[in-house]
Amino acid sequence: MTALPEGRPEGRLDEPRAPATGGLGLRTRRAATNLFPPLLSAVIGLGLWEGLVRWFAVPSYVLPPPSQVVLELVGEWQYLLTELGWTVLAAAIGVAIAISLGILAGAAIALSPTVDRMLTSWLVVIHAIPKVVIAPLFLIWFGFGVQSEVFFVVTFTFFPVVVATITGLKSADPDVLQLVRSMGATRQQVLRKIMFPSALPIILSGVKLSVSLAPVGAVIGEFVASNQGLGHLLIRAVGDMDTALAFAAVTLFSVFGVLLWRAAEYVEGRLLPWHPSQRGDFKPGQK
Amino acid sequence: MTEPDRDHSPTASPAPSRPGTTIELERVTKVYGAGALAVQALSPISVTLAPGQAVSVVGPSGCGKSTLMRLIAGLEAPSSGTIRVGGRPVAGPLEDLGIVFQRDLLLDWRDVLGNVLLPAEIKGLAPAAARRRAAGLLAELGVERFAGHYPWQLSGGMRQRVAIARALLPSPTLMFLDEPFSALDAMTRDQMNVLLQQVQSAEHVTTLLITHSILEAVFVADRVLVMSGRPGTLLDDIAVDFPRPRRLSLRETPEFSAIVRRIREQFVRTGDLVG
């Protein structure tokens, strides 16, 4: 390097913006104040539900009080967790396949006009079919069990990833593409170093949507073509008029959904620390 | 390129004695479109730029100065005439060239160091040497403290410094800058002018600066090419031999003002500027 002469303009007028650093204590306190209102409304809502069901003596097969659902959750936790495990397994395998296939298909469509013309219209046609309608067909094609469920999850979660990948890869900055080509980048380098990283935020939003759809797909698959999982448990509980167990399953299912969404957001934050959506706590000029 | 077998592995500082690259234009024209819709962007231009020289091209908007740069860079082909860089006709994008545009075009997902190292990755340069070179350039441009920052954490001037470091990383013998500072505020722009002429001297790189600021053109360059409005023609070719390093106070000297006045009067005469 070459030493600069003295009197080099120092960046006082041109200071970079410092990244925001939040104290841990402040963050915890903020989390507590954020959590309080939803907790309060939950307590009020559940209390009303419990009180009204008891006051009007609603039979528990119609609407069980929350306390009974909790008892069911505690008493049947092993059974519930085992069935949840099957649902999670089918959802996870299915969505993993859907994400891989979706990114590959999206990339092929975005990068090759021929593939685009050959596939895109058919994908739209297939997507227009209500998935629930074809669920019974999976039973015929793949038989009774997890494999049918997995295939169903794939069809259910494939589209958001494809669409996001196409949009993402097509929205790379043309000026940046020209710049790296002027540096002598190969097609593969352009894809790896520019197009894919700049598409990643959009692809991940598609992935997030798919991940949140996956358990729903798995449960629908279980309604139709499986003797395992929360979906199957739900069908059986309703058949037995064991509404409290059904509610317990639904509760577990929504907790699982929330955790899944949070996990997806966490991964997104780790992969995209630079993206405007992930640096929300920072405002220019803030100390 | 002057030396096809030039060692591409960058060192901490480029060899000050390297011969550099000559740019020769011979009756170069550019016409966009055809028939009745044809627009002549450049009328015949012939000029030779010496190796290691800092040349500014100044002219009103739409005078074809960016076109001129794109032709020399090999990003577009001329309609007629020949362009030779280092004695060889230009047939495609020049490899031995760093370009800086008005938009810094930094990659949002890479930190400053990662952005500067991009050309090294693309050209397959030795990583350790490239990192040393990057650290040297960041220091030279006064942004070494921000190597780990992301572009969004930097101001416009800082971002453009990083873009210049990226352009210089592979130690090209040519650097083209197309209106690099026109999006910056006046004070930052002045700073960047001082910095650019320092870096240009230190790196011994043949520099072509496209600008519509007369002050900037004269301050940074050894030679100013003055272009008229469409179709772009060469109005004047002025040698600027103020010693380096230059300070902003240079702009207040009568000699500097004389050159600025000479250029401005050309634009007034052509009607590109209202006197």
Side-chain angles (χ1 to χ4, degrees):
Chain A
M1 70 171 244
T2 318
L4 286 170
E6 277 176 308
R8 174 169 65 82
E10 202 25 84
R12 274 226 77 80
L13 297 163
D14 205 13
E15 278 294 313
R17 304 158 180 166
T21 45
L24 191 71
L26 185 72
R27 199 174 293 177
T28 324
R29 242 179 301 146
R30 203 178 294 165
T33 33
N34 285 347
L35 269 179
F36 184 69
L39 277 179
L40 182 69
S41 53
V43 168
I44 294 173
L46 290 173
L48 274 175
W49 176 1
E50 182 88 33
L52 290 173
V53 166
R54 288 183 187 277
W55 182 262
F56 292 106
V58 180
S60 81
Y61 65 85
V62 175
L63 185 65
S67 56
Q68 203 188 333
V69 176
V70 172
L71 284 178
E72 205 71 46
L73 273 170
V74 174
E76 297 287 348
W77 68 272
Q78 257 175 324
Y79 176 40
L80 282 163
L81 279 187
T82 313
E83 299 306 314
L84 176 69
W86 285 108
T87 308
V88 171
L89 184 72
I93 298 174
V95 81
I97 295 173
I99 290 169
S100 323
L101 285 181
I103 290 176
L104 283 177
I109 290 170
L111 301 176
S112 154
T114 316
V115 177
D116 185 6
R117 280 194 295 271
M118 282 173 67
L119 283 189
T120 306
S121 352
W122 292 116
L123 282 175
V124 173
V125 169
I126 295 170
H127 185 48
I129 303 170
K131 302 297 170 302
V132 186
V133 174
I134 51 171
L137 289 174
F138 284 73
L139 185 60
I140 300 174
W141 294 335
F142 307 114
F144 205 72
V146 175
Q147 68 280 11
S148 275
E149 237 182 282
V150 167
F151 277 106
F152 189 72
V153 172
V154 173
T155 58
F156 210 69
T157 57
F158 176 66
F159 276 90
V161 183
V162 179
V163 173
T165 306
I166 296 171
T167 312
L169 288 176
K170 284 188 173 175
S171 32
D173 185 335
D175 292 342
V176 171
L177 294 177
Q178 199 198 12
L179 179 77
V180 293
R181 286 196 192 110
S182 82
M183 290 176 187
T186 61
R187 204 173 139 82
Q188 213 197 351
Q189 282 177 325
V190 172
L191 183 66
R192 224 182 44 238
K193 296 193 183 293
I194 309 296
M195 292 179 76
F196 192 75
S198 70
L200 197 59
I202 304 178
I203 295 178
L204 282 182
S205 69
V207 166
K208 241 163 86 178
L209 199 57
S210 286
V211 165
S212 71
L213 285 174
V216 181
V219 164
I220 298 176
E222 285 159 358
F223 282 168
V224 179
S226 182
N227 55 359
Q228 281 159 328
L230 276 189
H232 175 72
L233 184 151
L234 204 62
I235 294 268
R236 238 184 55 191
V238 170
D240 294 347
M241 300 279 243
D242 192 350
T243 315
L245 184 61
F247 266 88
V250 170
T251 308
L252 203 57
F253 185 74
S254 44
V255 169
F256 170 56
V258 170
L259 290 179
L260 205 57
W261 183 258
R262 282 293 158 92
E265 280 192 327
Y266 175 78
V267 171
E268 193 183 28
R270 294 308 293 254
L271 289 177
L272 309 173
W274 53 272
H275 196 254
S277 64
Q278 303 303 323
R279 28 178 242 238
D281 57 345
F282 171 76
K283 300 270 180 302
Q286 183 179 295
K287 280 283 163 199
Chain B
M1 269 183 293
T2 20
E3 314 152 84
D5 54 351
R6 188 163 73 94
D7 180 13
H8 256 284
S9 50
T11 48
S13 69
S17 59
R18 62 183 185 171
T21 307
T22 313
I23 300 173
E24 300 156 272
L25 280 79
E26 232 182 274
R27 298 197 56 77
V28 170
T29 66
K30 181 70 184 178
V31 179
Y32 288 106
L37 293 172
V39 175
Q40 176 121 28
L42 283 181
S43 38
I45 287 186
S46 301
V47 66
T48 301
L49 311 183
Q53 217 174 28
V55 179
S56 294
V57 182
V58 64
S61 298
C63 73
K65 48 193 194 301
S66 291
T67 305
L68 185 69
M69 190 206 86
R70 295 175 60 81
L71 294 180
I72 302 173
L75 297 173
E76 285 179 47
S79 303
S80 67
T82 50
I83 301 172
R84 276 191 296 276
V85 173
R88 282 201 269 168
V90 175
L94 292 181
E95 268 192 37
D96 190 24
L97 163 70
I99 310 187
V100 180
F101 295 98
Q102 180 181 345
R103 288 177 58 207
D104 53 68
L105 302 179
L106 297 181
L107 306 180
D108 293 332
W109 56 89
R110 286 176 174 236
D111 62 13
V112 164
L113 185 63
N115 267 289
V116 174
L117 286 172
L118 180 72
E121 291 170 26
I122 288 175
K123 291 169 195 279
L125 308 181
R131 292 183 87 85
R132 275 200 303 280
R133 167 85 172 139
L137 280 169
L138 288 176
E140 209 172 310
L141 285 149
V143 282
E144 70 273 27
R145 282 175 299 162
F146 309 121
H149 284 59
Y150 283 97
W152 63 272
Q153 295 169 313
L154 304 181
S155 64
M158 290 291 171
R159 292 177 64 122
Q160 208 52 285
R161 293 176 193 219
V162 177
I164 293 173
R166 177 180 62 188
L168 289 172
L169 184 91
S171 307
T173 57
L174 295 170
M175 174 165 65
F176 291 0
L177 303 104
D178 188 359
E179 302 275 6
F181 311 134
S182 45
L184 304 179
D185 63 87
M187 286 175 111
T188 306
R189 187 171 189 155
D190 288 349
Q191 280 189 341
M192 293 301 292
N193 285 346
V194 174
L195 193 62
L196 177 63
Q197 60 86 33
Q198 283 169 357
V199 170
Q200 201 273 332
S201 310
E203 297 282 327
H204 301 278
V205 58
T206 311
T207 307
L208 189 66
L209 170 73
I210 307 293
T211 179
H212 56 239
S213 157
I214 300 175
L215 282 182
E216 182 170 278
V218 178
F219 183 80
V220 168
D222 304 316
R223 183 179 178 188
V224 180
L225 302 177
V226 184
M227 286 180 73
S228 70
R230 200 164 281 226
T233 35
L234 212 51
L235 287 178
D236 203 354
D237 182 348
I238 306 168
V240 182
D241 40 20
F242 300 115
R244 288 165 183 267
R246 297 173 183 172
R247 290 171 175 264
L248 285 173
S249 54
L250 172 69
R251 300 195 309 201
E252 287 138 33
T253 62
E255 295 83 2
F256 190 94
S257 304
I259 299 177
V260 171
R261 196 176 321 115
R262 174 172 161 186
I263 298 173
R264 190 177 293 132
E265 279 165 3
Q266 316 248 23
F267 290 142
V268 172
R269 201 149 36 80
T270 55
D272 289 313
L273 205 67
V274 179

